[in-house]
Amino acid sequence: MLQIITPDDVETNDNETRTSWRLLNADTLGIDYGARGGLIDYKFRSEEPTDEELGGAHEHPEYYYVISGSGVVGLPGERVPIKGGSAFVIPAGVRHSIWGSSEDGPVTAFYVSLKR
């Protein structure tokens, strides 16, 4: 049976840099398909983080599709602009952060993280 999950069905995870909805995972689906996914609103940052302030690295690659807004992907030594329609992969083990680049609203993305 097909299961439909919306952001209203899951707990919102909110902090100073992002709001996320973990839609597809073993808890919501009742089975582990070897991947997890969801929506994230990355908030505007008036100051770009330094390389030392970037987020952590994850043990699995993360695939992103930007739905709307504009923002930046920060990697050590690199800053890459993104906007609605952009797609990218953060390789496993790479420290990174993503943030909105406009005070007009967040950059919204759908992500999938695959287990190896």
Side-chain angles (χ1 to χ4, degrees):
M1 174 192 251
L2 182 66
Q3 184 175 357
I4 305 297
I5 301 167
T6 72
D8 293 333
D9 298 326
V10 298
E11 182 178 326
T12 301
N13 298 290
D14 190 37
N15 63 36
E16 65 279 351
T17 61
R18 67 179 181 243
T19 303
S20 65
W21 299 265
R22 295 180 179 130
L23 299 173
L24 305 173
N25 59 57
D27 292 333
T28 60
L29 298 172
I31 187 170
D32 188 351
Y33 286 102
R36 61 183 177 267
L39 292 173
I40 302 182
D41 280 345
Y42 291 101
K43 299 175 183 178
F44 171 73
R45 290 193 190 178
S46 58
E47 292 187 29
E48 179 178 293
T50 66
D51 282 355
E52 292 76 29
E53 297 170 327
L54 292 176
H58 305 288
E59 62 181 276
H60 308 293
E62 296 177 327
Y63 297 74
Y64 288 86
Y65 176 76
V66 179
I67 298 168
S68 63
S70 60
V72 177
V73 177
L75 305 170
E78 186 175 11
R79 303 297 185 265
V80 181
I82 56 173
K83 63 180 181 178
S86 301
F88 58 94
V89 176
I90 303 291
V94 175
R95 293 184 61 230
H96 62 281
S97 288
I98 302 170
W99 59 91
S101 58
S102 171
E103 292 184 67
D104 295 335
V107 58
T108 301
F110 178 78
Y111 74 93
V112 174
S113 175
L114 301 178
K115 295 181 181 180
R116 290 182 186 208

